[in-house]
Amino acid sequence: MADIGFDGKVAIITGAGGGLGRCHALELAKRGCRIVVNDLGGSVSGEGGSEGPAHDVVREIEALGGEAVADASSVATPEGGEAIVQAALDAFGTVDIVINNAGILRDKSFHNMTPDLLEPVLDVHLKGAFYVTQPAWKVMREKNYGRVINTASNAGILGNFGQANYGAAKMGLWGFTKVLAQEGAKHNIKANAIAPVAKTRMTEQLLGPLGDKLEPELVTPVVVWLAHEDCDVTGEAYSIAGGQVSRFFVGRTPGYYKHDLTAEDVRDHFAEIRAEDGYSVPGGINDELRLLLDVLKD
Ligand code: NAI
C-alpha cells in the first residue's frame, strides 16, 4: 500500500515548538504537509513567551525540504486563535488539519487549588482548542473537508492526583471532540482525540526510568493517520504510549429498570447497575435514547 502522504494539505499545530507538537510537525512536513508551527514559547506552567521555539522548528522543517511558517500567538484568547488561522490563510491559502496540542501544567491537590491555577489551564487546553478550531472550522465547512485532533489525557479520562484543573480541561476536550464529530459529519470533517504518554519537558520528572521507552516520536504515527483523508473514524479517543495504541471508549452497562424506581431499588440492585457484562458503546445521545426507548416502551 502507498505511504501516507499529505501533498497539498495544510496543518496548524499548536504548541509545536517542542515536545509532541514538534514531532507531529516534523513528521507531517516530511510527508508533504505545509505547517503552521504555533508556539507561545513559555514555561511548562505557562509563564513568559518567546518566538524562538516556533522559529526553530520551522528551520528544522525547512532543512528537511518542507514548508512551514512560525506563529507565536497564544491559543488562549479568541484573537490568538484568529491570528493562528489567519497565519495559515496568509501563508498557504487554506487549512485542512488542526492539531490542538498546546498545553501547560499547574498541578496542585484540589483543596489547595486557586483560581490562578485553574483558569490558565482551562484557557490554554479547553478554550484554546475552541479559539483555534472555530475560525478553521469555517474554512473547513466551506471546502467540505477537515481533520481535527484534540490532545486529551489519561489524567482526565482516568483521573490523576493533583490535576483537577488539567483533568477537567482534558476531559472537556473529549466532549468537545464528540460534538465536533457530530456537527462535522455532513461536512466531511472528522474530529478525534488522543491521550498520549511521552517523555517531554512536561513529564520528564514524572516518568522515571519508563520515560526512556516513551519517546514522543512514537505518539506521532497515530496523529498522522488520524489527520489523513483516508482515515474516516470520528468522535473517538486513542491511548498512545511508547508504540502501544489502544482505543478508549465510553461504555454503558445494561443496568437495571423498574418503572417506579425507589432509592431502595437502587441500593438493592447496585451490583447489577454497575455490572459491565453486555455493555454498549453509544455513538451519540440518539443511540442512548434508542436504548432507553426499548426499555421504556412497555
Ligand atoms: P511541552 O511543554 O513540550 O509542549 C507544550 C507546548 O505548548 C509548549 O511548547 C508550550 O510553549 C506550548 N504552549 C503552552 N501554552 C501555549 C499557548 N497559550 N499558546 C500556544 N502555545 C502554548 O509538553 P508536551 O508533553 O509535548 O505536551 C503536548 C500536549 O500533550 C499538551 O496538551 C499536554 O497536556 C498533552 N499531554 C502530554 C502528555 C505527556 O506524557 N507528555 C500526557 C498527556 C497529555
Side-chain angles (χ1 to χ4, degrees):
M1 229 185 242
D3 284 351
I4 295 170
F6 289 86
D7 285 349
K9 294 286 192 279
V10 175
I12 290 170
I13 308 174
T14 69
L20 288 162
R22 171 180 164 274
C23 295
H24 307 334
L26 290 174
E27 188 60 30
L28 284 170
K30 275 188 217 160
R31 291 170 182 269
C33 198
R34 291 167 292 165
I35 314 281
V36 175
V37 177
N38 160 262
D39 204 294
L40 181 65
S43 67
V44 172
S45 58
E47 265 111 20
S50 157
E51 295 193 354
H55 283 285
D56 289 348
V57 173
V58 167
R59 274 191 288 276
E60 281 187 89
I61 289 172
E62 287 170 347
L64 295 166
E67 263 187 272
V69 291
D71 178 279
S73 310
S74 172
V75 301
T77 64
E79 299 72 31
E82 292 278 354
I84 294 165
V85 174
Q86 195 59 48
L89 299 180
D90 291 347
F92 307 125
T94 192
V95 55
D96 302 283
I97 299 161
V98 171
I99 301 174
N100 289 306
N101 167 81
I104 60 169
L105 282 185
R106 294 199 179 183
D107 294 359
K108 192 71 100 178
S109 52
F110 181 53
H111 68 284
N112 286 321
M113 197 160 276
T114 46
D116 61 307
L117 302 175
L118 170 64
E119 277 148 26
V121 169
L122 294 178
D123 287 347
V124 175
H125 292 278
L126 186 56
K127 295 189 201 167
F130 271 74
Y131 296 145
V132 178
T133 308
Q134 201 176 41
W137 195 256
K138 290 180 188 140
V139 180
M140 291 173 172
R141 273 174 57 102
E142 270 167 30
K143 65 196 269 183
N144 214 41
Y145 184 81
R147 296 289 181 268
V148 177
I149 298 162
N150 295 317
T151 309
S153 170
N154 55 12
I157 294 169
L158 304 174
N160 195 31
F161 193 96
Q163 295 197 307
N165 52 359
Y166 180 81
K170 289 304 203 184
M171 198 59 184
L173 282 172
W174 195 359
F176 177 59
T177 302
K178 287 198 165 286
V179 174
L180 291 194
Q182 292 186 16
E183 294 193 11
K186 65 173 189 287
H187 304 285
N188 190 22
I189 307 173
K190 317 287 186 199
N192 290 287
I194 62 164
V197 184
K199 185 176 177 178
T200 65
R201 69 174 193 168
M202 194 182 262
T203 55
E204 60 192 346
Q205 310 297 330
L206 311 170
L207 294 171
L210 184 65
D212 295 337
K213 301 204 166 176
L214 298 173
E215 290 158 16
E217 286 80 3
L218 291 170
V219 171
T220 294
V222 181
V223 171
V224 169
W225 173 236
L226 293 175
H228 196 260
E229 59 185 324
D230 290 348
C231 180
D232 60 6
V233 303
T234 193
E236 298 199 343
Y238 291 88
S239 156
I240 318 158
Q244 165 69 37
V245 189
S246 301
R247 180 161 78 95
F248 278 126
F249 55 83
V250 175
R252 179 185 183 278
T253 67
Y256 170 77
Y257 168 70
K258 188 163 168 254
H259 74 94
D260 54 354
L261 188 73
T262 64
E264 287 73 21
D265 291 328
V266 175
R267 177 195 64 200
D268 298 344
H269 293 271
F270 214 39
E272 189 181 341
I273 291 165
R274 297 185 66 248
E276 292 172 13
D277 296 347
Y279 68 81
S280 56
V281 183
I285 62 168
N286 289 336
D287 286 356
E288 196 196 14
L289 286 176
R290 271 191 287 278
L291 294 170
L292 273 175
L293 279 176
D294 275 351
V295 173
L296 298 180
K297 66 179 187 294
D298 301 327

